[in-house]
Amino acid sequence: MLTAICGINWGDEGKGKMVDLFSADYDIVCRYQGGNNAGHTVINDKGKFILNLLPSGILREDVVNVLGGGMVIDLKHLTEEMGRLREHGIRITPENLKISDRAVITMPYHVRLDCLEEERLADKKFGSTRRGIAPVYADKYMKKAFRMGELLHPDVMYARVKDIVEWKNLTIVGGYHSDPVTVEEVLEYFKTYGEPLKPYICDTGLYLNEANKAGKNIMFEAQLAALRDIDFGIYPYTSSSSTIAAYAPVGAGVPNLKLDKSIGIMKAYSTCVGEGPFVAEYFGEAAERLRALGGEYGAATGRPRRVGPFDVVASRYGIRCQGADEVVLTKLDILSDYDEIEICTGYELNGKIIKEFPYPDALNYCKPVFEKVKGWHCDISACRREEELPEAARDYVRLLEKLCDCRISYVAVGAERDAVIKRG
Ligand code: GDP
C-alpha cells in the first residue's frame, strides 16, 4: 500500500499529527520534498516534538524513515534535530533512518544568500523562512549543488568544491557585496556535519522498491501544501519544491510505483504564513481572536500566521491538485467558541461570483463571499465518535464535505494523538 499524506491548503493543517497517527499502519514513512523550512508539531505520549526534516514516523519504534531525493537537507540542522530527539530517548540509527544519496545538501551559503536577498528586497520581501531553500533548489537546477551521495565519493566532491565556490562568489561578493565563501569553510562543513551522516546515506529508491515488493506499507509525507506548490500554488509566493501528492513517487525515488491513495489534510479554517494573496483573510479583532484560539504561530519561525474562515474555493482547488481520495478535517475544536461560523463560499471578481480558483494574479482583485452557519458553542475536544459531536458540528462537517465534493474520513478535535474521530 502506497499512500501520500498531503496538505490541501497553505500548510500547517496538522499533517504531522495525522502522519504520526496513521504511521501505526505503515512500515515506512518517507519525506519526498522540501527542507527544514516548515515544521510539523507532534504531541504524543513521549512529549512534544517539532520536526523540520525528519519524517514523523521517527517517533515510532518500528517505522523506518526515509529522506527522499526530492529533499534539500541542511546537514547542521539535521544533526541538531537528531540530537534533540535523542535527548528525549528517541532511537535514530541507520536501521530506522535512511537518507537518499540523491538528496541535495543545503549549504550555509544558501542560508546566507536567502537572508541577503530578503534584505535587498526590503519592503518587497517574499516572507522567506530564510532557511536557504530557494537558493539551494536554484543551484540544484543549475547543476551546481552538492548531493548527499557525494559524501560517499569525496574525491569527486572535493574536485567540484573549488569551482562551485568560485561561481557562488560571483553572486555573493560580486552581486551582494558580502564576504566570500571559502573552500576551507565548505570542506569544514562536510567534515563536521557530513561525515557522521555517511552511514545513513543509501539508494532509497532501491530500498523502497524492495520494501514494496516485500509487501511493506509505505507512506509519503508532504511538507507544506497545494497552495504553496511551485507549479500549482500562489506563485511566486510558493515554496520551491513540488508539494503535490503525484510528485511523491518521484521525490521518494520510486518513479516506477503508483500511489494507491492520496489523503488530504484540510483545516476547519484558513491560515497562511508569509506574503501573498489570501482572499478570505480576517483582519483586526476577528483575526486576533481566531489566531489566539488556534495558537496560530509558525512552528519553524514563530511568526504569527494570517488567519481566515474556511475557504471553499481554495480548498476545492487544493483537493483537485492533490488528487485527494479523502480528506481529514483538522482543528474543528478551535471553532467551538463561535456562535456563528463564517465560510468563504466564493470569490467576487469583476462583479461576478466565481467558484473556481483563478490564476494567482487575479486573486489580488478577488473579494471573499462569506456565508454564516450556526456554531455549536461547546467543547468538543473529548469527543471520539461522530455521534458525540453536537448536531451543529456534524452539520458543519457535512456541509464542507458537500461544498468540497470530497469525503471527510476523519475529523481532528485536539492536538493529542487520539483526539480524532473516524467517520462511518
Ligand atoms: P503541519 O505542518 O501540517 O503538521 O502543521 P503544524 O504542526 O504547523 O500545525 C498544526 C498544529 O496544530 C500543531 O501544533 C498540532 O499539534 C496542532 N493540531 C493538529 N490537529 C489539531 C486539532 O485537531 N486540534 C487542535 N487544537 N490542534 C491540532
Side-chain angles (χ1 to χ4, degrees):
M1 170 85 128
L2 269 67
T3 305
I5 308 278
C6 51
I8 296 300
N9 309 117
W10 294 264
D12 310 313
E13 296 91 351
K15 291 179 293 299
K17 170 197 153 115
M18 295 314 296
V19 174
D20 177 54
L21 180 75
F22 290 151
S23 58
D25 298 328
Y26 287 81
D27 305 292
I28 300 169
V29 180
C30 177
R31 277 273 311 267
Y32 61 90
Q33 45 76 226
N36 56 319
N37 47 325
H40 288 318
T41 315
V42 181
I43 302 172
N44 60 25
D45 45 2
K46 294 187 178 134
K48 178 176 175 177
F49 303 95
I50 294 182
L51 303 170
N52 299 130
L53 282 164
L54 292 167
S56 310
I58 201 75
L59 304 173
R60 289 200 186 264
E61 277 287 322
D62 45 358
V63 170
V64 176
N65 297 272
V66 173
L67 300 183
M71 289 187 72
V72 290
I73 299 177
D74 181 318
L75 304 178
K76 180 167 184 275
H77 193 101
L78 179 60
T79 305
E80 289 170 358
E81 195 170 317
M82 287 162 73
R84 271 197 304 276
L85 290 184
R86 281 187 178 128
E87 277 170 25
H88 283 84
I90 309 291
R91 181 183 64 94
I92 307 177
T93 70
E95 301 306 304
N96 72 339
L97 176 66
K98 306 199 180 286
I99 306 175
S100 169
D101 49 9
R102 264 76 169 178
V104 167
I105 301 175
T106 307
M107 302 293 295
Y109 57 72
H110 290 128
V111 179
R112 196 139 73 80
L113 273 168
D114 210 351
C115 298
L116 287 168
E117 178 57 10
E118 282 288 283
E119 278 154 28
R120 188 190 72 84
L121 287 168
D123 57 346
K124 287 184 288 187
K125 61 178 177 281
F126 276 83
S128 162
T129 50
R130 299 180 185 224
R131 301 279 170 102
I133 308 300
V136 67
Y137 271 112
D139 281 7
K140 170 177 174 170
Y141 289 99
M142 288 291 283
K143 293 158 307 240
K144 304 268 193 203
F146 297 104
R147 304 204 295 180
M148 294 302 292
E150 284 179 82
L151 291 166
L152 306 179
H153 302 278
D155 294 351
V156 184
M157 181 183 231
Y158 293 167
R160 294 177 71 221
V161 170
K162 189 169 164 291
D163 288 345
I164 290 183
V165 163
E166 212 171 273
W167 175 75
K168 272 297 32 145
N169 281 334
L170 294 177
T171 315
I172 294 175
V173 182
Y176 290 104
H177 309 294
S178 185
D179 297 335
V181 185
T182 64
V183 169
E184 291 71 32
E185 74 184 60
V186 169
L187 295 180
E188 188 57 36
Y189 183 67
F190 291 145
K191 190 164 156 241
T192 312
Y193 298 107
E195 284 288 320
L197 292 172
K198 274 162 67 169
Y200 299 86
I201 302 169
C202 62
D203 179 349
T204 55
L206 184 61
Y207 170 75
L208 290 173
N209 260 296
E210 285 178 352
N212 180 57
K213 263 192 223 144
K216 303 276 186 209
N217 288 334
I218 304 172
M219 179 194 287
F220 301 106
E221 174 184 10
Q223 173 220 37
L224 295 166
L227 296 161
R228 296 294 186 193
D229 179 78
I230 182 78
D231 295 301
F232 301 101
I234 48 170
Y235 189 88
Y237 302 98
T238 59
S239 196
S240 306
S241 62
S242 182
T243 61
I244 294 297
Y247 180 73
V250 176
V254 286
N256 54 316
L257 301 182
K258 292 195 174 47
L259 286 180
D260 293 301
K261 197 157 50 165
S262 163
I263 304 178
I265 311 297
M266 183 169 91
K267 211 164 180 164
Y269 55 94
S270 303
T271 59
C272 170
V273 180
E275 310 299 315
F278 181 40
V279 177
E281 183 166 8
Y282 276 162
F283 297 96
E285 258 175 53
E288 271 162 38
R289 180 179 178 197
L290 184 51
R291 187 179 300 122
L293 287 168
E296 295 299 347
Y297 300 88
T301 58
R303 284 189 288 184
R305 293 175 182 150
R306 297 158 75 194
V307 296
F310 185 84
D311 183 332
V312 177
V313 182
S315 299
R316 276 167 53 94
Y317 176 70
I319 287 170
R320 169 153 64 89
C321 290
Q322 297 291 18
D325 299 297
E326 57 188 80
V327 294
V328 177
L329 188 70
T330 59
K331 295 196 122 175
L332 187 66
D333 53 306
I334 301 303
L335 300 180
S336 297
D337 199 46
Y338 291 91
D339 291 326
E340 283 185 314
I341 299 171
E342 280 186 317
I343 302 175
C344 173
T345 53
Y347 297 165
E348 191 192 318
L349 179 64
N350 300 327
K352 287 200 192 105
I353 306 292
I354 60 166
K355 300 278 183 183
E356 296 298 338
F357 199 72
Y359 185 76
D361 294 353
L363 292 170
N364 294 310
Y365 307 100
C366 289
K367 291 200 180 65
V369 177
F370 292 139
E371 289 181 35
K372 280 185 182 160
V373 294
K374 218 168 116 235
W376 43 95
H377 214 282
C378 65
D379 184 8
I380 57 169
S381 59
C383 298
R384 294 294 176 267
R385 289 184 303 136
E386 196 175 2
E387 309 83 81
E388 292 166 14
L389 284 174
E391 191 58 33
R394 272 187 277 164
D395 284 347
Y396 183 74
V397 176
R398 280 194 286 256
L399 178 64
L400 297 195
E401 190 171 58
K402 185 161 158 260
L403 292 171
C404 293
D405 196 18
C406 187
R407 197 176 121 65
I408 295 177
S409 50
Y410 290 84
V411 176
V413 291
E416 303 75 26
R417 193 182 251 176
D418 69 334
V420 172
I421 296 168
K422 188 174 191 314
R423 296 183 73 224

